[in-house]
Every structure is written in C-alpha cells, then in structure tokens.
Amino acid sequence: MHDLTRCVHHPAVDTEGYASLTVPTHRASTIVYPDAASFAARKYRGFDGYTYGLNGTPTTRTLEAQLSALHGGVRTVLVPSGQAAVSIVMLSFLMPGDKVLIPDHVYPPVRSFCEEYLKPRGIDYGVYDPLIGAGIAALIDDTVKLVWVESPGSGTMEVQDVAAIARAAKARGVLVGCDNTWATPLLFKPLAHGADFACEALTKYVGGHSDLLLGSVTVADIALRQRMKETLRGFGIGVSPDECALALRGIETMGLRLAHMGRVSEDFARRISHSPAVEQVLHPALPSCPGHEFWKRDMGRSSGVFSVVLKPAPESLLEAALTALKVFAIGASWGGTRSLIAPMAVKEDRSVKPWTHEGTVLRISIGLEDPDDLWNDLQGLLLALERLPVDELA
C-alpha cells in the first residue's frame, strides 16, 4: 500500500478494554456498505437504519433515544432549532384547506410562519385565548387539523390547561402539539396529558450553555414520526452530530441546573412583587399568574424563566438601568448558565385578548451565578426605577 493510500485509509486499532462514559461524536456524510447487495437494498433500512449522514449517526440516535425516554414517547425527530420543530409539525400535517389554531401568547415567529408562509399557500390559522381550556371545542370545525399549545407562554407566562384542550381536540380527531421548552420533560410531559407532539428548543435547557441551536419533536405514535422524517428528507434537513454531542453533555446536568434555577426564580419572583416599580410579576408559581392552577396541578416545580411587568417609565431611564446591570446580560434566548434579561414588546403580538399593560415587560432567565450577586444586580435596577419622580410618569 502506497503512502497516499495510507493517508486516506485509517488503520484498525484494538478497542479491547476501552470504555468511556461519554458518547462518541460520529461525524459522517457518506455511509459505506460491506457489499454491493447491501448498498442496493439500503432503502429497506428505514428511518431507524443508517443510510446517509443527513439521516442520522449513532450520536444523533443516542440523543433521540434519550429524549424519547424522558418524554415517554416512541421516537424523537431532531431539527436545527426550536422554531424548526414547530414548523416541521405544521408542514408535515397541514394541507391546503386545513387550519391550525395557535394561542395568542405563542412565540412570535410561529405566528409569523402561519401568516407569512402557511396562509399564502392555502393553510389558514386561527388565534385563541391561551386560557380557553375546554372552550376551544367551539373553535374546532372540520377544517381544523392541528391545535398548537405553548405552556407556559415564553413571554407572558400563561399556563394552559393542556389536558382539557387535548380532550376537546381528540373528540374531533384533531392533532395537538405542545411547545414544552419552559418545562422540559422533567417538569411536564405533554404526551402523558394528551398531546401528540412534544416539541422543545434544545437550545435552551438541554444544551444549557448558550452554545448550540437544536430542536426536537417527540411522539407516542411512530406513524407521526414517519411523516415528519419524510418531510425532512424532502427538504434535505438534518442536524450536526457536534450539536447533538453538546446536547448530550448538557442533558446530563439539566436536572441539577433546572432545580437550582427554578428555586431562585420563584424566590426572586416573590421578592420583586413587592417593588413599587413593578405592576405585576408573571411567574407560574405565583397565584396571581394566569393559569397558576394548571401549573400547580400539572407541574408543581419551576424552571428559571419568568417575566415582570413594569409600571410605565421613561424609555431613557429604563435603558440606563438595564445598561448598568453588572451580572445579568441583555440578550434573547434563555436556559444557559448566564442570567439574561430582555425587554419585550407584547402588545403588538396580541390579537384575541388585548394586552392592556402600558409598562415594559422584562423577561428574566436565571442562570448559575451566585443568587446574592444576581439579586443585588436586580435590586439596583428596581431601585433606579423606584426613585422615578411622580411627575415623570405623566
């Protein structure tokens, strides 16, 4: 064998006695076959077999299996982001003439996808009050094929009665999808409450370190997985084994991170509610949060994300107070080790139940910094707003 050939062909090495706790990162575009007959019959391997790198490697399969087990599902599909998880469900199960129902607090890009992509292609959508519960039955006609749920809403934190919505949908043979990113399967398992699809932005708590983009859809019916895999194959969509390796690393500590962040977020939510600068704290664990009773019934524990409705204040003052933060970073997303804060515009994203608050909504994501440092930082922001002269509120 010549040197150029040796450069390309890797030698076999003895793996006897080698055992690691980490999942190997298998990178591949091409999958090779032992003989011509195996290659000719590759289509019979199905979606659980290995045929081409785009369709999965042992690394991606490991993450899929772990998520399926956590959700109590049979299969999981991995996609490049949380938004892609929502979109792939809609693209796979809605046809022209069909309709999807989405909650008024839905992640804004989902509403945009319905309005700007689905609707021009003959797929309609309707928006419902997230607290509608069993009343959603009145909105389900023969055109509705999918009801979307996001519980709690990632901005305004309304907790939905997923079980009641699912029962109403099932009575009409309608599929139900749930964005479960806030809770993760450690706090809530949508499939056990009647949902057909449990979607998550693995970017958040599963990844846990703000360094990957990934999404997942877990199902209890393998036929639903087949449809989504066919759609992904048609679009040529796959995920990187490197991203999956990061997610597999992150998921190992998710339980500890989530428990700590949840405790701190509940403590801070109660403390913040006493500030004169705050109109309302939106945290599912607080009785004043819309849908708190469903959180108490179905979850009982919290993750690290909640929102604060501020009393009206001059924009310049709020900007200065946010800029002065030392520990919190200003940024979108959440679920990582760093604590984040983000001002949100809510009113323009509502169409069913008007948002009547005039003050800015701050979404807070608790990370892993020392709680005292975090509280001192938040307290500085609140004190800056509390010192606002009354006449400046006019």
Side-chain angles (χ1 to χ4, degrees), residues 4 37 44 68 80 95 109 113-114 117 124 157 216 234 244 271 386:
L4 290 180
Y44 299 110
S68 296
M95 298 294 288
F113 179 72
C114 291
Y117 187 89
D124 199 6
M157 298 292 140
S216 66
C244 293
R271 292 201 225 176
E386 289 170 13

Side-chain angles (χ1 to χ4, degrees), residues 45-131:
R45 293 187 176 188
F47 289 123
D48 286 325
Y50 299 107
T51 55
Y52 188 63
L54 189 69
N55 302 322
T57 74
T59 308
T60 59
R61 293 286 188 269
T62 303
L63 180 58
E64 291 169 356
Q66 195 159 10
L67 291 168
S68 296
L70 284 169
H71 274 291
V74 295
R75 291 294 190 281
T76 292
V77 170
L78 298 175
V79 291
S81 69
Q83 171 65 16
V86 181
S87 300
I88 209 67
V89 172
M90 294 185 180
L91 289 170
S92 299
F93 296 95
L94 297 173
M95 298 294 288
D98 291 345
K99 184 177 183 179
V100 58
L101 299 179
I102 59 175
D104 209 11
H105 67 193
V106 75
Y107 179 50
V110 174
R111 189 189 294 251
S112 298
F113 179 72
C114 291
E115 175 64 29
E116 298 169 11
Y117 187 89
L118 296 182
K119 194 171 182 179
R121 290 161 177 79
I123 300 171
D124 199 6
Y125 74 100
V127 183
Y128 67 89
D129 181 345
L131 299 177

Side-chain angles (χ1 to χ4, degrees), residues 161 169 173 221-222:
D161 189 345
D221 180 352
I222 197 168

Side-chain angles (χ1 to χ4, degrees), residues 196-243:
D196 298 285
F197 308 96
C199 294
E200 304 215 5
L202 305 181
T203 306
K204 309 296 197 294
Y205 287 119
V206 170
H209 293 77
S210 305
D211 58 1
L212 67 88
L213 289 166
L214 210 59
S216 66
V217 186
T218 303
V219 297
D221 180 352
I222 197 168
L224 301 179
R225 194 282 298 257
Q226 299 298 99
R227 285 272 294 272
M228 288 187 288
K229 290 292 283 187
E230 289 165 4
T231 303
L232 290 169
R233 181 172 59 189
F235 278 103
I237 295 173
V239 297
S240 164
D242 294 276
E243 302 288 275

